[in-house]
Amino acid sequence: MATKMDERLEFVYQEILKRNPGEAEFHQAVREVLESIGPVLTKYPEFRERKIIQRICEPERQIIFRVPWLDDRGEVQINRGFRVQFNSALGPYKGGLRFHPSVYLGIVKFLGFEQIFKNALTGLPIGGGKGGSDFDPKGKSDNEVMRFCQSFMTELWRYIGEYTDVPAGDIGVGGREIGYMFGQFKRLTSKYEAGVLTGKGLDWGGSLVRTEATGYGATFFVAEMLKARSDSFGGKTCTVSGSGNVAIYTVEKIHQLGGKVVACSDSDGVIHDDKGIDLELLKQLKERERRRISDYVGYRKHATYVAGGNIWAVPCQVAMPSATQNEINGKDAATLVKNGCIAVGEGANMPTTPEGIKVFLDAGIAYGPGKAANAGGVATSALEMQQNATRDSWTFEFTEQKLASIMRTIHQNCWETAEEFGSKGNYVVGANAAGFIKVAKAMVAHGLI
Ligand code: NDP
Ligand code: 2IT
């Protein structure tokens, strides 16, 4: 990444640091975008005149609330809930909810900020937002998760809606949590407003392919990057970090496209399976039984588990980080490149540190940043909203084709935009510039709001 920033942008960045103290992840996400858009401001001086950058970096609205709930022992628990409604230039705020003990305002703001540009890249009418809580779902009973979700929605319901803000899942929030939140929203509003949440169950307004969409989409994006280099997944050894929703469906699509995933992980350790990850076993352990990845080796005797291991030390040709932010540092990136990695596709949001990104770009490998590579999840959420609006439900094949076509278009848009601004092959510049221009033009059109 070009670590030098346009001088005037550096000044804007320093102001943002001062206005948002202690939010390291938000600063990181802003810096990455500002480093990409110097040439955009030269082409569109009106963006500077209208102070689009200062406005885009300031959320339209931030909601922070108390979430009290009773655990199974009858003890009172208190968590903090967040919803940051970042930008509505292109449509209702759209973005997931994350339940993880590390969640604080800086995480929600980095995710919401990235979401603005990601959602713009999908080409669909959705603005950017994000939310969540420092609630830790690990070790909680089903009833505890339900009581938490009901309490969370008892506060959130008044700020969301089909035309205002449409939350979905992220880390720690999947179909079960969306179900409990939808139930409580319906109860509080006396309305069956299906389009208020996405990632719903298939029997009550959900879309086929939404569960698979982020992992499938990220894999389609990497397939496009490989194609641009006259290459493909066929016969490639791959690693996929994490073992949650995004990781599982990344493994599934890589295997369908002829690659072999040999390692995945969770926050405790790494499994390595030379014969290729057994997808059905992974789904059984993680989706149906909610167990840890370490249990995998109890069923596949030739596989190994390393507690506290580093998945990026496992040699691969394609790496798909699908767990969390900053999981690949500069050293990990150097190890990947040294071991022959030729493509990185980010299923997770901001999984690579700025030092890591620089290593990938300097090495000239195909590097697909999260806001482009993982946009298939939110894009399919927007397809779910379309189906809800027309009370329709599309087939798996039809929806998957739409997803594949959206990912192809995003790839092409990033490629062409990078070239236009003098950074051929740099998908970071391509994604940031293309997403930013679309949102900025809409903001100019809407006047000073
Ligand atoms: P899940 O909760 O289903 O899975 C998360 C996985 O990542 C788990 O294996 C988890 O391990 C691991 N993980 C989470 N936090 C950490 C951490 N701090 N350190 C190490 N490992 C961690 O979430 P998703 O699969 O939905 O999300 C994964 C990533 O993809 C996130 O970055 C998310 O923002 C991004 N994303 C998700 C989309 C979606 O549609 N769901 C769309 C676009 C991006 P453990 O169980 O040990 O915590
Ligand atoms: O980071 C993301 O794009 C998501 N967690 C999905 C958001 C959505 O609204 O589907």
Side-chain angles (χ1 to χ4, degrees):
M1 187 165 32
T3 37
K4 56 187 180 324
M5 204 192 282
D6 182 302
E7 220 173 81
R8 286 165 299 184
L9 283 173
E10 185 65 48
F11 180 76
V12 172
Y13 179 66
Q14 292 305 326
E15 287 296 303
I16 289 164
L17 290 187
K18 260 189 252 159
R19 285 174 68 78
N20 303 276
E23 297 176 355
E25 297 82 1
F26 178 54
H27 303 161
Q28 184 183 337
V30 168
R31 182 163 189 104
E32 190 212 275
V33 171
L34 297 197
E35 281 176 353
S36 294
I37 58 170
V40 172
L41 298 181
T42 308
K43 179 169 177 191
Y44 298 97
E46 66 270 30
F47 293 167
R48 204 191 288 276
E49 283 153 24
R50 312 281 169 103
K51 294 220 162 101
I52 294 295
I53 296 165
Q54 290 90 328
R55 282 158 63 194
I56 233 172
C57 292
E58 183 71 21
E60 290 176 14
R61 195 172 296 105
Q62 308 183 55
I63 301 143
I64 303 181
F65 49 96
R66 179 170 66 204
V67 189
W69 56 282
L70 277 183
D71 69 17
D72 285 346
R73 293 168 304 166
E75 205 168 297
V76 173
Q77 299 288 339
I78 292 127
N79 286 102
R80 188 170 291 171
F82 301 88
R83 188 72 184 167
V84 173
Q85 299 181 329
F86 227 116
N87 192 293
S88 61
L90 299 180
Y93 310 107
K94 181 84 197 86
L97 297 169
R98 176 177 291 191
F99 293 170
H100 192 273
S102 62
V103 167
Y104 75 108
L105 189 58
I107 294 272
V108 182
K109 279 169 68 178
F110 116 65
L111 289 163
F113 183 73
E114 294 253 309
Q115 201 82 44
I116 304 171
F117 308 103
K118 181 196 305 190
N119 293 5
L121 288 171
T122 67
L124 297 163
I126 40 179
K130 201 83 185 190
S133 174
D134 58 0
F135 173 72
D136 185 359
K138 272 201 202 96
K140 302 291 188 296
S141 71
D142 204 67
N143 278 323
E144 288 176 322
V145 170
M146 180 177 72
R147 286 195 293 273
F148 174 81
C149 288
Q150 290 178 338
S151 181
F152 185 86
M153 187 51 82
T154 301
E155 195 59 38
L156 186 67
W157 74 274
R158 63 186 90 244
Y159 307 107
I160 61 175
E162 179 183 4
Y163 296 109
T164 47
D165 184 356
V166 183
D170 193 79
I171 290 175
V173 177
R176 173 180 63 168
E177 292 74 20
I178 294 293
Y180 294 147
M181 287 191 273
F182 184 71
Q184 186 72 352
F185 180 88
K186 186 162 66 67
R187 183 185 188 195
L188 288 163
T189 57
S190 308
K191 267 193 207 131
Y192 205 107
E193 187 180 327
V196 69
L197 290 169
T198 60
K200 298 182 293 295
L202 297 177
D203 297 326
W204 40 278
S207 171
L208 284 163
V209 191
R210 177 61 190 90
T211 303
E212 295 83 357
T214 310
Y216 277 22
T219 311
F220 288 145
F221 190 88
V222 172
E224 289 298 314
M225 293 199 299
L226 291 170
K227 200 167 134 201
R229 296 170 173 235
S230 309
D231 205 346
S232 75
F233 265 108
K236 296 249 176 342
T237 298
C238 310
T239 55
V240 177
S241 66
S243 48
N245 170 264
V246 177
I248 289 170
Y249 291 96
T250 299
V251 174
E252 180 161 295
K253 187 50 77 181
I254 290 176
H255 285 177
Q256 286 174 12
L257 296 184
K260 182 166 80 167
V261 180
V262 297
C264 57
S265 63
D266 61 19
S267 58
D268 295 331
V270 178
I271 55 164
H272 189 175
D273 184 341
D274 271 340
K275 296 189 178 157
I277 296 290
D278 180 335
L279 183 65
E280 273 321 301
L281 177 56
L282 187 65
K283 286 184 180 176
Q284 176 198 325
L285 293 174
K286 297 303 301 179
E287 291 189 321
R288 296 194 281 281
E289 298 173 359
R290 294 181 186 275
R291 289 162 66 180
R292 305 299 296 161
I293 199 73
S294 54
D295 292 342
Y296 182 94
V297 293
Y299 298 80
R300 297 266 285 181
K301 300 296 180 201
H302 61 274
T304 55
Y305 172 72
V306 180
N310 182 349
I311 190 168
W312 311 122
V314 178
C316 67
Q317 290 154 295
V318 178
M320 299 204 47
S322 307
T324 193
Q325 64 277 354
N326 293 328
E327 54 171 312
I328 300 182
N329 61 28
K331 204 164 151 248
D332 298 326
T335 306
L336 280 164
V337 171
K338 180 171 69 69
N339 286 340
C341 179
I342 56 158
V344 175
E346 296 184 339
N349 286 305
M350 206 169 77
T352 310
T353 63
E355 297 74 29
I357 296 175
K358 186 169 178 339
V359 171
F360 291 147
L361 294 180
D362 287 350
I365 71 166
Y367 167 64
K371 59 171 82 69
N374 72 41
V378 74
T380 308
S381 276
L383 301 181
E384 181 172 330
M385 291 162 72
Q386 277 186 36
Q387 292 169 81
N388 293 151
T390 54
R391 298 176 194 279
D392 201 354
S393 38
W394 306 338
T395 64
F396 193 95
E397 292 69 27
F398 180 77
T399 316
E400 191 186 6
Q401 267 176 31
K402 277 197 172 271
L403 169 63
S405 149
I406 290 167
M407 298 314 297
R408 266 196 303 277
T409 307
I410 294 174
H411 176 272
Q412 194 180 343
N413 189 6
C414 292
W415 180 269
E416 288 170 0
T417 308
E419 198 164 13
E420 180 188 349
F421 291 102
S423 297
K424 191 170 178 194
N426 183 331
Y427 294 96
V428 178
V429 168
N432 287 333
F436 178 82
I437 290 168
K438 179 149 190 189
V439 179
K441 281 183 173 169
M443 288 175 73
V444 169
H446 293 167
L448 183 54
I449 53 170

